Amino acid sequence: MGAWRLLGVKMLRLPDFPLPNGRGRFGPYGGRYVPETLIPALEEVEAAYLEAKKDPAFLEELEHYLRTFAGRPTPLFHAKRLSAYWGGAQVYLKREDLLHTGAHKINNTLGQALLARRMGKKRVIAETGAGQHGVSVATVAALFGMECVVYMGEEDVRRQALNVFRMKLLGAEVRPVAAGSRTLKDATNEAIRDWITHVRTTFYILGSVVGPHPYPMMVRDFQSVIGEEVKRQSLELFGRYPDALIAAVGGGSNAIGLFAPFAYLPEGERPRLIGVEAAGEGLSTGRHAASIGAGKRGVLHGSYMYLLYDHDGQITPAHSVSAGLDYPGVGPEHSYYADAGIAEYASVTDEEALEGFKLLARLEGIIPALESAHAIAHAAKVVPEMGKDQIVVINLSGRGDKDVTEAMRLLGGEL
Amino acid sequence: MTTKEAFAKAKEEGRAALIPYLTAGFPSREGFLEAVKEVLPFADLLEIGLPYSDPLGDGPVIQRASEVALRKGMSVQGVLELVKEVRALTDKPLFLMTYLNPVLAWGPERFFSLFKGAGATGLILPDLPPDEDPALVRLAQEIGLETVFLLAPTSTDRRIETVVRYATGFVYAVSVTGVTGERERLPEEVRDLVGRIRAKTPLPVAVGFGVSGRATAAQAAVADGVVVGSALIRALEREEPLSPLLAEIREGLYPKEPV
């Protein structure tokens, strides 16, 4: 497993995990279900990535930007008041919210942008839902002087005007997508169509651990800096690994970043890994985004995974108060963890997430992203059942500034 | 009529085979059947699209058609019934174009058997590179469906070799790096792609994507067949008759005549 020099040790390495296999499969999940036009491009990205991963110059450059531009390493913060409030395990927050652009997304966009540059691609494209990944891609495109086009559903463009402005300010072109449900899923379709059309000149910076191989692997590797840091920080602070790790799961990139460095440990050494999906208005209402909790196996955006669809295989729109979790599928590696019992997956409703949002603000002075508020809300159920000498790490994947307007609308009367 | 016979007949007539594509349930259930009746006299083979919520490989025209068909209630069951009705009208080869997820949702064996029973000749699976699931491809073939896969200008010779190993019926050559939709010209590399595919397989090769009139049809006619989709759907959207367009395209299918 890799040790990151960010923590003052050795040379940066990108970890070598046992999965996926050579065909991009985590058990049955993953693969490359895309139109044939893209297959050579995916093979090219895979080869370039595997080569870059072993190149000290690439790793040094990535480490340089992660440290000096993104702000790594991020602290592991002891949330003492929250721990006392729940009266169970000691709660630590992995502060990805402190990163540049306000979320963990930058770990991945820096990695992919550097890879794009290495491959000689001068144009990058991306999909975005709430706009966090889009802003992150626009940011690295500005940093490296690349042309940048971001696809965003019309509905999201309307809801997230501030992030649209941010992307434009950073020099990106934002293209609204009017097809389908006009949200993240449709923006992803359109980004893939753009890539099919401009495949020879363009690099697609995918934002989560979904999509065709090698994306779930590559995004996981870039995000695994989160878990690698937690490993080292835990050993330094407690002399051992935590007892449980909790993270929100939409597509699943922040959760996989935290989980993967622990997931392949022998069972006795592995902390409890708990992914929290968005139950939206409740699993029974059909208005949710819980692909593992209430979905079936299927194919979307190039990958075989747990997915929300109807009896005919038509993809059903996801729903969550958190736009970042509003995706009808979940990455193939999570799908595999769920089947293999490596991680457990729960879900919390919009209402519970809003409670978590308020709780963290009041007890710790941190306004979390609504995505991360799902992890807090589920921790409220798990932590009180644990012993006081036990340790729980929650991934605070992003900060809540972007959600304040929405929260004000939903909570305004209550404060 | 078998696929082989359909291509052979066109060849005897000194032209490429014409393969019209229509989205099942567009512009409506009845409108689709009327469109089928209008295209059949021109068609050597027919491609029927199963409308899907997330058609990754399709441009705006076929996306809109799929949305309309789904909104008007078209379902897998509905497409099955339409295939049966079309089969009653013709003995020409009928290919169902479907994305993979509806197949998985119904269960591949059930899906394939039902469409075989309804009279489909084969399947075109645009988001299944065949080596991703060889067992699924074998299953379709065992049930008696031909399996058509796409190759693109970006396909390497090694990739072509891999894909044609799984192909029966014909091979679908995508003329452009892009999604479906009308173009004014096809790139010159289409000739090269058809040649590279022919070097690896004895199966007929059909060119699709971008064929919108006589000139593009003539460019595509370097192949054994030409697929016309978006241009027909566009005409249906505008409530224009299909025959003039098909007649014009058909003229382009005789490659030796001056264009």
Side-chain angles (χ1 to χ4, degrees):
Chain A
M1 298 283 150
W4 292 76
R5 194 173 64 181
L6 300 168
L7 292 148
V9 212
K10 295 188 228 162
M11 196 41 206
L12 177 144
R13 277 178 51 209
L14 285 168
D16 290 310
F17 294 108
L19 291 176
N21 70 13
R23 297 200 60 102
R25 298 282 179 162
F26 304 85
Y29 302 107
R32 224 171 233 174
Y33 297 91
V34 290
E36 193 62 37
T37 310
L38 288 181
I39 296 289
L42 291 165
E43 287 174 349
E44 212 179 298
V45 171
E46 183 188 5
Y49 170 66
L50 292 176
E51 191 191 283
K53 191 178 163 174
K54 293 195 201 98
D55 179 354
F58 176 81
L59 297 173
E60 202 169 308
E61 202 172 22
L62 176 58
E63 193 224 344
H64 168 78
Y65 284 106
L66 284 173
R67 189 157 39 84
T68 62
F69 186 72
R72 298 214 75 89
T74 60
L76 191 61
F77 170 70
H78 189 186
K80 290 182 183 158
R81 296 191 68 214
L82 191 62
S83 305
Y85 177 78
W86 283 334
Q90 295 307 305
V91 176
Y92 286 79
L93 304 175
K94 181 60 175 164
R95 298 293 309 276
E96 295 296 295
D97 61 316
L98 294 177
L99 288 173
H100 182 42
T101 70
H104 71 290
K105 293 288 184 191
I106 193 99
N107 300 328
N108 168 50
T109 52
L110 275 172
Q112 287 197 46
L114 284 170
L115 184 63
R117 194 168 73 169
R118 189 184 165 90
M119 292 174 72
K121 310 281 184 185
K122 293 184 169 60
R123 179 176 183 266
V124 295
I125 56 170
E127 81 296 341
T128 198
Q132 290 307 101
H133 175 58
V135 167
S136 186
V137 173
T139 299
V140 297
L143 175 66
F144 298 127
M146 292 165 155
E147 183 192 344
C148 176
V149 174
V150 179
Y151 290 92
M152 189 169 183
E154 254 182 8
E155 185 57 25
D156 290 329
V157 168
R158 191 186 59 73
R159 287 191 294 199
Q160 304 285 343
L162 196 60
N163 271 342
V164 174
F165 183 71
R166 279 199 182 104
M167 287 184 267
K168 289 181 178 168
L169 202 57
L170 291 160
E173 182 194 341
V174 179
R175 291 193 189 157
V177 177
S181 59
R182 297 165 197 209
T183 59
L184 176 57
K185 149 182 109 63
D186 311 283
T188 308
N189 289 340
E190 209 50 44
I192 294 175
R193 290 184 188 115
D194 179 311
W195 201 32
I196 292 173
T197 309
H198 303 105
V199 62
R200 289 174 173 132
T201 58
T202 296
F203 189 99
Y204 179 21
I205 301 187
L206 222 162
S208 194
V209 284
V210 298
H213 180 60
Y215 283 99
M217 167 180 82
M218 187 164 64
V219 177
R220 183 265 323 263
D221 290 357
F222 288 134
Q223 290 295 358
S224 70
V225 66
I226 303 172
E228 293 290 346
E229 281 181 14
V230 167
K231 258 187 171 174
R232 293 205 49 82
Q233 289 167 324
S234 308
L235 290 177
E236 277 164 25
L237 288 168
F238 329 123
R240 65 183 183 89
Y241 293 154
D243 298 287
L245 307 176
I246 305 178
V249 176
S253 71
N254 90 80
I256 223 74
L258 177 63
F259 293 174
F262 297 92
Y264 299 98
L265 294 171
E267 208 173 328
E269 296 171 38
R270 190 168 63 220
R272 252 180 98 184
L273 307 177
I274 308 170
V276 186
E277 296 190 303
E281 294 172 11
L283 295 189
S284 60
T285 65
R287 286 179 55 77
H288 59 79
S291 307
I292 292 176
K296 293 165 284 191
R297 300 176 184 97
V299 164
L300 180 67
H301 298 146
S303 191
Y304 185 62
M305 59 186 175
Y306 279 106
L307 191 61
L308 303 176
Y309 59 84
D310 70 11
H311 62 283
D312 268 357
Q314 308 289 350
I315 307 302
T316 48
H319 168 83
S320 169
V321 66
S322 146
L325 302 181
D326 206 342
Y327 182 74
V330 64
E333 192 164 2
H334 283 295
S335 301
Y336 168 74
Y337 287 179
D339 283 6
I342 290 171
E344 49 194 291
Y345 294 85
S347 61
V348 302
T349 62
D350 288 350
E351 208 178 313
E352 291 170 315
L354 283 165
E355 283 306 312
F357 182 79
K358 285 194 293 188
L359 190 67
L360 196 68
R362 288 190 182 176
L363 287 182
E364 298 290 352
I366 298 171
I367 300 175
L370 281 172
E371 292 78 16
S372 319
H374 282 71
I376 303 287
H378 187 69
K381 301 176 188 174
V382 174
V383 172
E385 307 294 320
M386 296 173 70
K388 286 195 166 54
D389 56 343
Q390 292 193 293
I391 295 155
V392 171
V393 171
I394 301 172
N395 200 4
L396 204 65
S397 56
R399 62 173 182 241
D401 308 37
K402 69 182 173 64
D403 296 316
V404 168
T405 316
E406 180 70 358
M408 194 163 76
R409 189 176 69 79
L410 295 165
L411 295 172
E414 286 180 42
L415 295 179
Chain B
M1 186 185 285
T2 66
T3 304
K4 203 175 170 179
E5 287 163 358
F7 278 100
K9 178 175 161 281
K11 197 175 184 177
E12 271 166 35
E13 294 173 13
R15 59 177 176 87
L18 181 55
I19 312 173
Y21 161 94
L22 295 168
T23 300
F26 181 81
S28 64
R29 191 181 191 283
E30 284 65 39
F32 166 79
L33 285 169
E34 278 167 36
V36 166
K37 286 174 195 157
E38 204 176 347
V39 304
L40 271 178
F42 297 90
D44 296 289
L45 304 85
L46 187 64
E47 183 182 338
I48 297 173
L50 188 143
Y52 181 55
S53 57
D54 293 77
L56 266 188
D58 286 303
V61 174
I62 292 178
Q63 284 178 51
R64 278 199 302 272
S66 300
E67 272 185 48
V68 168
L70 289 173
R71 205 166 53 235
K72 291 189 175 173
M74 191 39 62
S75 60
V76 172
Q77 184 62 42
V79 177
L80 257 175
E81 285 159 18
L82 285 174
V83 169
K84 264 182 221 165
E85 291 186 42
V86 176
R87 179 44 81 211
L89 297 172
T90 180
D91 72 335
K92 291 174 181 173
L94 301 180
F95 283 82
L96 180 76
M97 201 292 298
T98 180
Y99 287 87
L100 186 58
N101 209 48
V103 178
L104 300 178
W106 273 59
E109 183 158 11
R110 181 170 163 234
F111 187 97
F112 296 154
S113 305
L114 286 168
F115 275 95
K116 172 71 186 169
T121 310
L123 297 165
I124 302 170
L125 300 160
D127 61 346
L128 179 68
D131 49 333
E132 281 301 313
D133 198 343
L136 188 95
V137 177
R138 238 183 346 260
L139 179 67
Q141 292 169 354
E142 280 164 14
I143 288 170
L145 291 168
E146 293 176 340
T147 52
V148 175
F149 297 102
L150 280 60
L151 284 162
T154 52
S155 300
T156 57
D157 290 343
R158 191 171 54 84
R159 194 62 210 155
I160 292 172
E161 215 164 284
T162 302
V163 171
V164 298
R165 249 190 304 197
Y166 298 91
T168 54
F170 66 97
V171 175
Y172 194 133
V174 175
S175 67
V176 293
T177 56
V179 293
T180 58
E182 305 133 280
R183 268 86 171 169
E184 286 185 7
R185 294 285 300 165
L186 301 185
E188 287 304 324
E189 62 190 356
V190 66
R191 182 183 291 274
D192 167 63
L193 175 62
V194 171
R196 290 194 296 129
I197 297 171
R198 278 184 175 149
K200 304 286 184 194
T201 177
L203 289 173
V205 179
V207 165
F209 288 32
V211 176
S212 58
R214 183 175 169 156
T216 42
Q219 281 187 287
V222 295
D224 307 293
V226 174
V227 183
V228 186
S230 297
L232 292 173
I233 300 290
R234 174 83 96 187
L236 287 171
E237 268 185 343
R238 292 177 179 149
E239 298 181 19
E240 290 167 5
L242 304 180
S243 309
L245 175 65
L246 287 160
E248 185 198 322
I249 287 171
R250 191 155 166 150
E251 279 174 38
L253 299 182
Y254 295 85
K256 291 190 181 73
E257 288 185 14
V259 177

